[in-house]
Amino acid sequence: MDAIVLFSIIIVAASILQTSTGFGFSIMATPFLLLLFEPKEAIQINLILSLVISLALIRKVHQDVDMTILKRFIIGSFSGLVLGIIIFLYVNTAQLKLVVSLVILLLTFLLILSFRVKQTKERDFFVGGISGALTTSIGMPGPPLLLYFSGTGASKEKIRATTLAFYLFIYTASLAVQIVFAGSSQTIWVSSALAFPLVIIGLIVGQKLFVRVSQRLFRVFTYIILLFTGFYLLLERLI
């Protein structure tokens, strides 16, 4: 019963965060799902539910998508998808999470210190590649996109819409790659189906919160989420 309650809390909270900010489901859900499931199961459940959320939300925000950046992200992600599945299959997951946690913490502190990044074509491709690698390896495409957009000072509407549009592609592609190379299981699909009603609750609550979140508060949420994720992954590896 405790596992069911924890699973429900994780899915609802992550869905609210994703819907109200445009990011965050994978960042919040994946570390906690790893406490309840095997890595393959946790990652694929996350990919399935994240794809469902992105499909549900994209129609309402498609007009805010930056198509130029989106195309570059997608092109850049192809090499990352291949690299990510290789990492997932052959690299120790604990070591990978340690590296990811350190990168997240370092870049978050740079953002808090008002570190700024100039957007360029080459950086768009690079960020897309890193995001693709993180998706197939640990199911978390959000950190590089979030850090990059925050560093460029993009508006919350642009961040939300462009990341959602990119997620539609990256989650679909990553799920297909995961199933082909790592396989799937009944547990993954049954758990995902049971989580759908919880996702709907998160979608409804998150939509109401989005219109009330200011740009400044949005950035504060960004920093809190990144710091939490970075420290969580780091402590999980060290303890």
Side-chain angles (χ1 to χ4, degrees), residues 113-233:
L113 295 173
S114 298
F115 176 80
R116 288 292 175 261
V117 178
K118 182 180 180 181
Q119 182 203 344
T120 66
K121 179 179 180 179
E122 291 75 19
R123 287 171 182 165
D124 290 346
F125 288 131
F126 177 75
V127 170
I130 296 298
S131 181
L134 288 179
T135 311
T136 45
S137 59
I138 60 173
M140 293 173 58
L145 301 180
L146 183 54
L147 292 166
Y148 185 52
F149 275 133
S150 296
T152 59
S155 68
K156 67 173 185 176
E157 290 80 11
K158 178 179 177 180
I159 294 174
R160 186 189 192 214
T162 307
T163 53
L164 277 173
F166 179 63
Y167 288 162
L168 283 176
F169 167 79
I170 204 66
Y171 284 133
T172 302
S174 297
L175 182 60
V177 170
Q178 273 275 337
I179 292 174
V180 170
F181 290 96
S184 193
S185 70
Q186 183 178 0
T187 298
I188 293 170
W189 296 98
V190 171
S191 299
S192 298
L194 292 175
F196 284 169
L198 302 173
V199 168
I200 294 174
I201 294 173
L203 288 171
I204 295 172
V205 176
Q207 276 294 115
K208 294 183 180 299
L209 286 177
F210 179 73
V211 297
R212 301 181 181 181
V213 177
S214 66
Q215 184 79 16
R216 181 175 178 276
L217 191 57
F218 179 81
R219 292 192 182 280
V220 172
F221 280 153
T222 299
Y223 300 147
I224 291 174
I225 293 164
L226 287 171
L227 288 173
F228 170 80
T229 305
F231 279 120
Y232 178 86
L233 291 173

